[in-house]
Amino acid sequence: MLELALKGSKRYYGWIAFLLVLIAIGFAAYVNQLTVGLKTTGMSRDVSWGFYISQLTYLVGLAASGVMIVLPNYFHSYKTNKHMVIFGEFMAIAACVMCLLFVIVDIGQPQRMMNMVFHPTPNSILFWDMIVINGYLFLNLLCGWTCLQADRQHLPHPKWVKPFIYTSIIWAFSIHTVTAFLYQGLPGRHYWLTAILAARFLASAFCAGPAILVLVLLVTEKVTTFKMPKNALSTLVKIIMYAMCINMFFFLLEVFTAFYSNIPGHMHPLLYLFEHASTGLVTLMWTFVVFAAISITLLVTPRLRNNLKLLPWTLAMLIIATWLDKGLGLLIGGFNPTPFDTITPYWPTGKELLVSMMIYSIGALIVTVLFKIATEVKEEVGHSQKLPCGCSSEDTCVCSSEDDCGCVSEEAAAEA
């Protein structure tokens, strides 16, 4: 099926070329990092994890997003979204690859990653994190590719693949849980030392991950013949709404526990992030609170939640809010104040951002190629779900004859 990714429009090849340029620019920065060392980053003795690890944390959530589509389909026989399952699995593949790449660039010399293979340490959480991320990558690649190939050949999915699909659903919860254990197992970092950190990670993953997936699928609808079933989209947005509400509820529990108990170690990281840090960081953290409140308000209001023109903006604000919380603030707040009760400011350098841009571009390239293959196969087998007269998903196709079709609004169609 890889040959399907080799044919496309000029816009498709232009996008691929653009991503390759970004990858080349970022790779130049990475070569410089290999030559000079990690001093090109903003990390130091007191801040041993930086932007790379914070992006790993966020992207693990994106990898787990596919389970919000796969689980209803296989555990509850919710077949409305069955044509969207492959996109969740392919998104997870790209996210897992990006997670592994962020680990590689963070450890300095890439050959060090082989130490986990040749000198495994099962008593280390990092060892198990490598196992669950690589395992989830393999499961999604196996299940997604096998099922899509069966669809292309108009065959039922092989029975042997179902145990792997059910395993991948359970595995999705493990990847974020184990990643959370990396943080909450450190007694000297009070901001991370909480029993509900894994629950917070899962809640944020199940709102931000599907939100990113929906936005990418909305773009896919614009450039391909694939259309998301409206009922499936509505259900997925409701899942995002509930997960975001739970995510912010957990965050408020942390705030209450810190300030009601009046324990300095728990209060100081929050005070640093929202009051005493640099002006830029404080502004970003309050932006997280505002965007989270706005996105929740828009999602819990049925009329606004079902507005397809407003939905992309709502999801974009939710993604920005969760990224500022988990992809930036979580790491900086965990390292400040230090165990010596001092402040070591951290901010990613330009070269750090360029290397991160390279990895995100690689992820976007993987998503582009895999989604291209998936949409081509679905068009071949008649699963594109495009209305016969090419109407948008907001309109209804009305045909008086086979060759005489037109698009009308849903309200007009209901009146007719």
Side-chain angles (χ1 to χ4, degrees):
M1 293 189 293
L2 287 173
E3 72 277 3
L4 297 175
L6 301 178
K7 57 180 181 179
S9 63
K10 291 183 179 179
R11 181 170 55 181
Y12 171 71
Y13 285 114
W15 171 246
I16 296 292
F18 174 70
L19 291 176
L20 290 175
V21 170
L22 294 183
I23 292 171
I25 295 172
F27 185 73
Y30 178 57
V31 170
N32 178 259
Q33 177 181 299
L34 286 176
T35 305
V36 178
L38 288 173
K39 70 178 183 180
T40 61
T41 70
M43 292 185 283
S44 61
R45 181 199 65 178
D46 294 330
V47 183
S48 53
W49 290 345
F51 194 73
Y52 299 149
I53 296 299
S54 67
Q55 299 318 290
L56 159 69
T57 307
Y58 189 76
L59 289 171
V60 166
L62 176 58
S65 66
V67 76
M68 290 294 98
I69 297 177
V70 180
L71 189 150
N73 184 59
Y74 286 95
F75 276 19
H76 303 285
S77 297
Y78 184 74
K79 300 302 181 183
T80 307
N81 66 357
K82 64 180 181 180
H83 297 309
M84 297 169 60
V85 168
I86 187 63
F87 296 102
E89 292 171 333
F90 280 176
M91 180 68 77
I93 291 171
C96 287
V97 171
M98 287 189 285
C99 288
L100 295 172
L101 289 176
F102 271 115
V103 172
I104 291 172
V105 299
D106 180 74
I107 59 178
Q109 297 297 325
Q111 64 269 22
R112 290 174 182 165
M113 64 182 174
M114 299 308 296
N115 288 336
M116 290 190 179
V117 178
F118 296 132
H119 309 289
T121 51
N123 61 327
S124 168
I125 297 296
L126 191 59
F127 170 79
W128 291 108
D129 203 38
M130 178 202 70
I131 295 294
V132 295
I133 293 177
N134 280 283
Y136 196 59
L137 172 62
F138 168 76
L139 286 170
N140 280 279
L141 190 58
L142 174 67
C143 299
W145 198 262
T146 301
C147 292
L148 188 63
Q149 203 162 33
D151 289 341
R152 192 185 189 193
Q153 297 171 354
H154 299 277
L155 297 173
H157 295 170
K159 291 183 179 180
W160 62 263
V161 81
K162 276 201 170 183
F164 291 100
I165 294 174
Y166 290 126
T167 302
S168 72
I169 294 173
I170 300 171
W171 205 286
F173 291 87
S174 73
I175 60 174
H176 229 350
T177 302
V178 174
T179 303
F181 288 169
L182 286 175
Y183 288 89
Q184 66 187 79
L186 302 176
R189 308 295 180 181
H190 295 280
Y191 192 49
W192 304 334
L193 193 61
T194 168
I196 66 167
L197 188 63
R200 280 186 62 193
F201 275 21
L202 288 170
S204 64
F206 294 151
C207 62
I212 294 173
L213 180 59
V214 169
L215 283 184
V216 175
L217 285 175
L218 288 174
V219 174
T220 303
E221 286 189 336
K222 297 292 185 182
V223 298
T224 69
T225 59
F226 179 78
K227 298 295 179 184
M228 286 184 285
K230 287 186 178 180
N231 291 342
L233 175 60
S234 177
T235 301
L236 191 55
V237 172
K238 287 179 182 177
I239 292 173
I240 294 171
M241 173 193 69
Y242 288 122
M244 185 60 177
C245 291
I246 295 171
N247 178 44
M248 291 309 298
F249 174 67
F250 285 159
F251 175 76
L252 292 176
L253 289 181
E254 297 282 13
V255 174
F256 171 80
T257 302
F259 288 95
Y260 191 78
S261 66
N262 206 32
I263 297 176
H266 291 286
M267 291 192 301
H268 290 168
L270 289 168
L271 289 173
Y272 175 75
L273 289 173
F274 287 93
E275 185 176 349
H276 301 305
S278 63
T279 305
L281 181 57
V282 170
T283 302
L284 290 176
M285 294 309 299
W286 282 108
T287 301
F288 144 62
V289 174
V290 172
F291 276 21
I294 294 174
S295 62
I296 288 177
T297 302
L298 294 175
L299 286 172
V300 298
T301 309
R303 183 172 59 86
L304 299 176
R305 181 177 68 241
N306 296 325
N307 187 328
L308 294 181
K309 293 182 178 178
L310 183 61
L311 181 62
W313 299 101
T314 304
L315 297 180
M317 284 191 289
L318 183 149
I319 293 167
I320 293 171
T322 53
W323 184 84
L324 290 174
D325 174 33
K326 192 168 71 173
L328 188 66
L330 178 77
L331 185 131
I332 296 177
F335 281 110
N336 283 291
T338 69
F340 300 103
D341 206 27
T342 59
I343 297 295
T344 304
Y346 167 79
W347 195 255
T349 63
K351 291 180 179 178
E352 252 179 300
L353 296 177
L354 287 176
V355 173
S356 301
M357 179 188 72
M358 173 190 72
I359 295 175
Y360 273 110
S361 299
I362 292 173
L365 181 61
I366 294 172
V367 168
T368 301
V369 171
L370 292 180
F371 276 38
K372 170 69 172 174
I373 294 172
T375 53
E376 289 289 335
V377 170
K378 289 189 174 296
E379 186 174 6
E380 284 182 13
V381 300
H383 293 165
S384 65
Q385 309 210 357
K386 182 176 181 180
L387 298 173
C389 48
C391 301
S392 70
S393 57
E394 300 177 49
D395 297 331
T396 299
C397 183
V398 177
C399 300
S400 58
S401 67
E402 186 176 351
D403 299 323
D404 184 16
C405 293
C407 301
V408 297
S409 64
E410 291 183 341
E411 293 78 10
E415 293 175 1

